Amino acid sequence: MTIREMADRLQATVYAEPDQLDIDLEGAFGSDMMSDVLAFADDRDVLLTGLLNAQIVRTAHMLDMSCIIIVRGKSATEEIKTLAMQNHIALLETKMTMYEASGKLYEGGLGR
C-alpha cells in the first residue's frame, strides 16, 4: 500500500514531499514504546504511534522507515515535522485511534 493510499484511508493530514507519497510499504507496526519498534519493526513497515517527541523520527530513521502515522488526533510539533522532512520520512496525522487506524490499513491490504 502506498503512503498516499494510507493517507486517504485514514483521512490523514500529510506532511511529506509529493514523491514520498508513492512509496509502497508492506506492513505496519503500532507502538508508543520505541524500544519495541527497534526490536521488532523493519524498513518496510509504517510506524503508528501516539507518542509526540523527536524519538519517533530518530527511531524511524534508524530503521530506514519511510512513514510515521500519529494517531488519536494528536499534532506533531514543528520540531518533529522539521526532523521528519530532513530525514525524508513522511508524517501523517489521523484522528483515528491506533486500533482503528491499524484495522483500516489491514482492511486495505497492508500486512505481513
Side-chain angles (χ1 to χ4, degrees):
M1 177 180 293
T2 66
I3 294 172
R4 182 184 319 278
E5 292 168 330
M6 289 181 215
D8 290 343
R9 196 162 260 291
L10 301 178
Q11 301 171 4
T13 302
V14 178
Y15 301 96
E17 296 296 327
D19 63 323
Q20 290 176 292
L21 300 178
D22 295 320
I23 295 172
D24 195 31
L25 298 173
E26 296 174 0
F29 193 90
S31 182
D32 291 342
M33 295 182 60
M34 294 303 103
S35 58
D36 283 354
V37 177
L38 287 169
F40 301 110
D42 69 35
D43 65 336
R44 300 301 298 160
D45 289 339
V46 56
L47 171 60
L48 289 98
T49 188
L51 193 61
L52 282 181
N53 63 40
Q55 279 307 111
I56 63 174
V57 179
R58 291 187 183 105
T59 300
H61 180 68
M62 287 177 67
L63 293 173
D64 292 327
M65 294 175 115
S66 301
C67 183
I68 299 169
I69 300 172
I70 298 173
V71 296
R72 298 191 290 268
K74 295 182 177 184
S75 296
T77 63
E78 288 305 315
E79 176 191 15
I80 293 170
K81 291 175 190 173
T82 300
L83 195 56
M85 292 295 267
Q86 289 172 344
N87 288 285
H88 308 289
I89 298 171
L91 193 61
L92 279 59
E93 297 173 348
T94 183
K95 293 181 181 181
M96 295 179 189
T97 64
M98 190 180 303
Y99 177 79
E100 185 180 9
S102 297
K104 291 277 187 188
L105 295 176
Y106 182 77
E107 182 180 70
L110 188 68
R112 57 175 170 113

